Amino acid sequence: DLWSHLITRFVFNHASIEEMRKTQTLPPPSTFSRFTTNLIHHLPDFEAMNLTLIKQLIELIPHFGKTLIFGECIIEIPHNKEGASSKSLPSHNLADFGKKVLFEKKRHQIKRWFGYRLHYILDGKTGLPLILKPTPASISSHQQALKFLTHLKSLFPTLLTRSSYAVGDTAYDNEKFIR
């Protein structure tokens, strides 16, 4: 259920879990915090399972990987002014402060938070994650983009040759990434 909430958050471009609370009944923030901690702790296991699944899908579905979606999800962690998580929450050694400029209707707003960014590459047709990479909040998508492509190419060499489209926000709009 937490996966569906996180996926809903970035599919519908909600700024935060708190914004989603206005329209949905969600678990408390500490639940997402524990989920994030567990995801980071078990990421190698998740990546191994996902690698096997994606390799099978590349063989079975001809259009799989034709459109790639690049993006990120902001994961906020409740904290005190110094950035430390409250005592009731799990330890977040990798969490730090991040900022992102959000553009809305000729205006921009700066979003600041303590926590993580979950960077991702999804298959555009199925929405399945090809790569998920949680990082401290200070690591931007722009910093991760070329590393992601290199990693994707090493994991699935034929996938980039079958890809026709790549979709992402302005963080991916740079010459090196486009080439």
Side-chain angles (χ1 to χ4, degrees):
D1 203 29
L2 291 172
W3 274 114
S4 65
H5 292 308
L6 284 177
I7 291 168
T8 300
R9 180 172 168 216
F10 59 74
V11 166
F12 293 106
N13 204 21
H14 291 291
S16 69
I17 296 292
E18 292 307 314
E19 181 183 310
M20 287 176 60
R21 283 188 191 292
K22 296 175 186 173
T23 59
Q24 300 177 39
T25 302
L26 299 175
S30 60
T31 303
F32 285 98
S33 179
R34 281 190 302 277
F35 178 73
T36 304
T37 300
N38 288 333
L39 174 64
I40 290 169
H41 180 71
H42 294 288
L43 194 59
D45 298 328
F46 173 80
E47 288 174 337
M49 282 186 334
N50 198 50
L51 181 65
T52 302
L53 173 67
I54 299 305
K55 284 182 177 178
Q56 291 174 357
L57 291 173
I58 289 171
E59 296 297 321
L60 295 173
I61 304 174
H63 63 75
F64 191 82
K66 184 170 181 152
T67 301
L68 302 176
I69 299 173
F70 294 78
E72 69 178 25
C73 177
I74 294 170
I75 301 173
E76 292 182 70
I77 305 298
H79 65 284
N80 61 28
K81 291 180 183 177
E82 291 78 36
S85 298
S86 71
K87 291 180 183 175
S88 64
L89 296 174
S91 173
H92 291 280
N93 298 333
L94 298 175
D96 68 4
F97 287 96
K99 78 175 186 178
K100 180 174 182 156
V101 179
L102 305 170
F103 296 95
E104 294 179 20
K105 299 179 184 174
K106 299 182 183 180
R107 292 182 42 207
H108 73 277
Q109 173 184 358
I110 297 177
K111 166 79 175 165
R112 298 178 197 277
W113 76 99
F114 179 80
Y116 303 95
R117 289 182 201 240
L118 181 62
H119 305 274
Y120 58 84
I121 301 176
L122 305 176
D123 171 63
K125 186 80 170 174
T126 63
L128 290 171
L130 302 170
I131 296 178
L132 292 175
K133 172 86 172 144
T135 65
S138 61
I139 307 295
S140 71
S141 293
H142 179 76
Q143 294 168 299
Q144 290 294 311
L146 290 175
K147 291 177 188 175
F148 262 25
L149 279 178
T150 303
H151 188 56
L152 186 67
K153 189 175 182 177
S154 71
L155 292 175
F156 315 110
T158 61
L159 193 65
L160 289 181
T161 58
R162 75 164 53 177
S163 297
S164 300
Y165 307 98
V167 180
D169 65 15
T170 56
Y172 302 98
D173 190 14
N174 69 64
E175 193 66 32
K176 285 182 182 177
F177 182 76
I178 292 170
R179 273 190 259 131

